[in-house]
Amino acid sequence: MKRALVGDIGGTNARFALWEDNRMHAVQVFATADYTSPEQAIGAYLADHGLARGELGAVCLAVAGPVDGDEFRFTNNHWRLSRQAFCKTLQVERLLLINDFTAMALGMTRLQAGEYRTVCDGTPDAGRPALVIGPGTGLGVGTLLSLGEDRWMALPGEGGHVDLPVGNAREAQIRQQIENEIGHVSAESVLSGGGLLRLYQAICALDGQPAPLQSPAAITDAALAGEPVALAVIEQFCCFLGRVAGNDVLTLGARAGVYIVGGVIPRFAELFLRSGFGASFADKGCMSGYFKDVPVWLVTAEFSGLLGAGVALQQAG
């Protein structure tokens, strides 16, 4: 049986691995800016591992955006892909394109001990949906359903673009400040890498303070060093994430649990675990008791999207 290849392609990096016997190995990361197309990057990957074109039976790529039709244009880098041309160029028998958050959700089914931390204790109800939510370049939201017999369905959506919820007067002021700057305020407007900087600038403007920090990384570093304004911004970020995740749990009935993924939160994991996320998560008035047994986990696994692409390939048969 021919080897399969899985890929998880983002705006900055493309991750590839071989998938054999339902397991992933030989992970390699490529900068998308260094290649003109996914075919070129995969060609380099194959060469690095002594494989010729034509040795892959199937490829599954996790990509950001809708995946209908032959042509796919990446939303966050310069690459384009034609299914037909891709298979011809790499001599691949089958190409499966899936949404990146579909892959991320499916990747949760392969988590190992040590790849997640408990944020809120609870008992997952395996017969109900699970929520997968992750601040990164944007805010990804997906739903994971168990179909039984180790089969899963992932439902992608555009939940990152719901309205940003507010739970008190201070949050209403913050939201209004941001609305004055950009118009409509979606959850992603705040709960993303760029959103963290926007939140910092809004809070500084509201409080009449200078805003010297110019990047999400600088804000995170300052908070970790104990700088009070940056700490307050991180705390508010975590509370907003709790409100959005709580809304999603109520909407989906996601009593199988919540997986916090993406590249932003792990950078300040200890602050997140001590934050008001949990209180905001369950702050739903008469429905607050609904959250008593809903577990929340912070995922620290490095290649969940790649694993999820493998699971998708495996389930596709």
Side-chain angles (χ1 to χ4, degrees), residues 50-194:
L51 297 171
R53 299 185 181 204
E55 290 192 53
L56 296 176
V59 172
C60 179
L61 300 180
V63 295
V67 293
D68 295 329
D70 177 72
E71 188 83 19
F72 181 82
R73 179 178 296 183
F74 291 79
T75 57
N76 47 11
N77 66 46
H78 62 285
W79 286 357
R80 294 186 182 185
L81 182 149
S82 159
R83 295 174 191 258
Q84 197 170 28
F86 179 96
C87 292
K88 183 176 180 181
T89 299
L90 292 176
Q91 301 174 41
V92 171
E93 297 170 9
R94 182 164 58 110
L95 170 63
L96 178 63
L97 289 183
I98 62 173
N99 176 268
D100 59 343
F101 235 76
T102 294
M104 183 63 76
L106 290 173
M108 299 302 97
T109 69
R110 292 297 188 96
L111 285 179
Q112 303 296 314
E115 294 183 332
Y116 59 91
R117 301 178 67 178
T118 299
V119 181
C120 301
D121 289 317
T123 303
D125 182 345
R128 304 296 293 275
L131 170 70
V132 185
I133 182 169
T137 304
L139 177 64
V141 179
T143 307
L144 181 67
L145 297 169
S146 172
L147 302 179
E149 299 180 355
D150 200 31
R151 290 189 62 80
W152 305 84
M153 176 182 292
L155 304 175
E158 296 299 335
H161 297 282
V162 300
D163 296 339
L164 180 72
V166 297
N168 53 50
R170 171 68 168 178
E171 290 178 356
Q173 290 177 327
I174 293 170
R175 176 177 167 146
Q176 186 61 57
Q177 179 68 33
I178 296 172
E179 185 176 335
N180 292 343
E181 295 292 328
I182 66 170
H184 176 255
V185 183
S186 69
E188 183 176 276
S189 300
V190 169
L191 297 173
S192 57

Side-chain angles (χ1 to χ4, degrees), residues 33-47:
D34 294 342
Y35 299 88
T36 60
S37 66
E39 292 94 324
Q40 187 186 46
I42 292 172
Y45 175 88
L46 295 176

